[in-house]
Amino acid sequence: MASASSDIEDLLPPKPRAPQPSDCCGSGCCPCVHDIYEQDLKNWRKKCDQIKNGDLGEKIVEINSVLVPNEWREFEIVKIEQVNMNTYCYTFGLQGTQVLGGGVGQHIIVKQVKNGRVVTRQYTPVSDVNKTGLFEVLIKIYPKGKVTPLIKEWKVGDSIPWRGPFGDFTYQANSYKRIVMFAAGTGIAPLYQIIKAIIGNENDNTFIKLIYANKSISDILLRDELLDCCQFWNFTMCHYLSEESDISKKRYREEMIGRRMSKRDAREEIMRGPIELTLVLICGTDSFNKDMINSAKDAGIPDRNIFKF
């Protein structure tokens, strides 16, 4: 008769495989395969501890999800939609009622091969985490980028390798009085997913203010979707447009300011509410993130209440 300890061992997930020296392309990818492996180990140890302590809830979720962090799995492109001049929404198909898996605000990693070397990039799906049958990813194409010129060649019917989810962000309803979000460009992706999760929970009374920075109105991603979110009582947003000459094109419920957002603008927005009960979420370019983090700290937000994606 098998012992209880051997039964538990059978439930444990396989230990992540350490990357081979040839797996690293040496080009400074972020995250590197070695960074991914360290995160895999951390998640693996956490799951093992949960199972050994009798907490199988997360294991059940993983079984129902198709994505796993410790192996690449391919998904077929079923639709490609050009959102603006250089950004595309890629829709990947899932079987039946399958869900991709992962938590709100977590990202997934795509793998491509360039000049015989593996290169990876991380993206946050913009579809709901519990969406069945498909998932969607927004990707901005950089002509001189290391990965996106390869992505630009994707076509419907191609199978693309992904793995994940990754990311340390966690959210519990009503943990804060309000959330102030600062996004620039494609940095809207993880924040949009969080917005949808909060306004979709009728028991969550958290107020959300989104500050979204772009060059022009045509650069605003998920514009229609964000306008739909404005119908909910606990969500408002403001667009800062550094190169837009005519903000009269704004729509009902849209607030637009035709200039670059300053650190003072960010600080004043944060200080409009209770500092200790405010969570600040940030996602954009490195310089944008640095400015927003400094603004949050200048406003008195404690480090524990600041999260950069």
Side-chain angles (χ1 to χ4, degrees), residues 130-144:
N130 295 319
K131 180 75 173 180
T132 60
L134 61 85
F135 68 95
E136 298 169 319
V137 183
L138 272 180
I139 300 179
K140 183 176 181 178
I141 304 299
Y142 296 91
K144 296 182 179 180

Side-chain angles (χ1 to χ4, degrees), residues 13-14 47 51 56-70 73 99-101:
K47 290 177 181 178
I51 293 172
L56 300 182
E58 187 170 332
K59 184 67 177 178
I60 294 173
V61 172
E62 181 180 322
I63 291 174
N64 292 330
S65 304
V66 297
L67 195 67
V68 292
N70 57 355
R73 293 188 173 178
V99 298
L100 181 66

